[in-house]
Amino acid sequence: MPELKWLKSSFSEASGNACVEVAATSPEGISLRESDNPDIVVSTSQPALRALLLGVKAGGVQSPGR
């Protein structure tokens, strides 16, 4: 598998140590990781990530203690 090109979120801290990075893995595939723990990678599809982000923005997704 070729090396992935990771892109950092535009909302990252200036130091770059606490941010989300994303990489395209195929036309529909995407991987995510935290910059401070890059060995743990979550893979999903672009439509699934888009649905999650739209749900979060709409207030339909809450953290587990709420």
Side-chain angles (χ1 to χ4, degrees), residues 7-59:
L7 302 171
K8 289 186 181 185
S9 167
S10 60
F11 292 98
S12 299
E13 291 181 351
S15 65
N17 293 332
C19 60
V20 174
E21 298 176 320
V22 297
T25 57
S26 69
E28 287 293 317
I30 192 163
S31 290
L32 302 112
R33 69 181 184 182
E34 287 191 49
S35 61
D36 61 347
N37 198 354
D39 293 332
I40 298 174
V41 176
V42 176
S43 297
T44 189
S45 68
Q46 291 182 17
L49 179 59
R50 185 178 301 111
L52 173 65
L53 294 175
L54 288 172
V56 169
K57 287 180 180 181

